[in-house]
Amino acid sequence: EAQVTQNPRYLITVTGKKLTVTCSQNMNHEYMSWYRQDPGLGLRQIYYSMNVEVTDKGDVPEGYKVSRKEKRNFPLILESPSPNQTSLYFCASTPGDRNYEQYFGPGTRLTVT
Amino acid sequence: AQSVTQLDSQVPVFEEAPVELRCNYSSSVSVYLFWYVQYPNQGLQLLLKYLSGSTLVKGINGFEAEFNKSQTSFHLRKPSVHISDTAEYFCAVSVTDKLIFGTGTRLQVFP
């Protein structure tokens, strides 16, 4: 089944404790993104990657890192999480062939206390 | 820069009534337009998209949307809603591979 998977689905952590949220797609898509969803703000792009070893900042990159060492994986790293990073996070991928349809993972709900 | 405005944060409606969720965008170049739906505790699922061609686009679950270039709008409609349509709906615009989302409209269908 074609899909985007994220782990973990739920995470509660404390301020300053480094964490990684994994994202993997099995559709051989070139383009991958991370979004955060907050009430009243919709989805905002954090980082995106157009291919392996190519990443760039989205609209709200502060406090986040990403890497793209393999085509299928695009982990989101929070080196020192803070309470304002409490949010619902989505990973998405798209073929990159001007299709523009993005396929979303199920989401990761992160709480930073 | 592109932006998307969803004027209604919440739309309450009774079952079997028609509904319209409004979306306006701003862009100085041609755009591609999308509607996504998010059911409770789930990710986003594509409802429909406009890339080119006919301005009336039909999607899944009986939804349709009309692209109006002069009014820069892409309103979503359904002639008769069901309880199961209760969800949050997001309009989005894309110029390249980046999607810019509106703030969402929560559709609440009552029996």
Side-chain angles (χ1 to χ4, degrees):
Chain A
E1 179 189 355
Q3 59 182 347
V4 179
T5 57
Q6 295 178 227
N7 282 292
R9 294 288 313 279
Y10 302 91
L11 179 59
I12 301 174
T13 190
V14 296
T15 299
K17 186 177 182 182
K18 180 180 179 180
L19 66 92
T20 299
V21 183
T22 64
C23 172
S24 183
Q25 51 94 4
N26 62 2
M27 296 169 280
N28 202 37
H29 286 172
E30 292 186 355
Y31 187 97
M32 298 183 74
S33 288
W34 275 102
Y35 295 87
R36 60 177 289 173
Q37 182 182 9
D38 301 290
L41 297 177
L43 281 84
R44 294 175 293 168
Q45 191 181 54
I46 302 170
Y47 267 95
Y48 65 96
S49 169
M50 299 184 76
N51 215 323
V52 175
E53 303 291 1
V54 180
T55 63
D56 210 344
K57 297 177 180 179
D59 299 315
V60 287
E62 293 76 22
Y64 304 95
K65 285 175 57 178
V66 293
S67 69
R68 188 93 182 272
K69 292 183 170 54
E70 305 165 282
K71 198 172 188 178
R72 62 183 292 126
N73 296 322
F74 190 44
L76 179 68
I77 303 155
L78 284 72
E79 295 269 4
S80 183
S82 62
N84 65 12
Q85 293 179 297
T86 292
S87 187
L88 180 58
Y89 291 86
F90 289 101
C91 180
S93 71
T94 188
D97 58 356
R98 300 178 67 81
N99 183 330
Y100 304 127
E101 176 179 346
Q102 297 214 9
Y103 297 78
F104 284 83
T108 295
R109 186 167 293 282
L110 172 65
T111 301
V112 183
T113 62
Chain B
Q2 292 76 36
S3 67
V4 179
T5 301
Q6 292 182 247
L7 292 168
D8 306 303
S9 59
Q10 295 188 64
V11 173
V13 63
F14 287 109
E15 195 173 21
E16 297 184 9
V19 70
E20 177 180 84
L21 306 184
R22 296 181 293 170
C23 173
N24 288 88
Y25 69 93
S26 66
S27 176
S28 57
V29 299
S30 296
V31 297
Y32 303 103
L33 296 156
F34 304 80
W35 274 99
Y36 283 83
V37 59
Q38 184 180 28
Y39 298 105
N41 299 314
Q42 294 187 29
L44 278 75
Q45 178 183 357
L46 181 70
L47 264 182
L48 49 79
K49 61 185 176 184
Y50 172 78
L51 302 183
S52 65
S54 173
T55 56
L56 183 62
V57 180
K58 293 191 184 297
I60 62 172
N61 301 338
F63 283 93
E64 64 180 32
E66 185 158 18
F67 170 57
N68 188 319
K69 188 175 182 179
S70 62
Q71 297 187 8
T72 60
S73 68
F74 191 55
H75 301 333
L76 181 70
R77 301 185 182 100
K78 186 170 182 177
S80 176
V81 295
H82 302 286
I83 295 285
S84 59
D85 292 323
T86 293
E88 188 141 22
Y89 292 79
F90 291 94
C91 183
V93 62
S94 173
V95 175
T96 58
D97 288 308
K98 178 178 179 178
L99 272 180
I100 298 170
F101 286 87
T103 52
T105 298
R106 181 166 297 279
L107 175 64
Q108 180 74 50
V109 182
F110 295 94

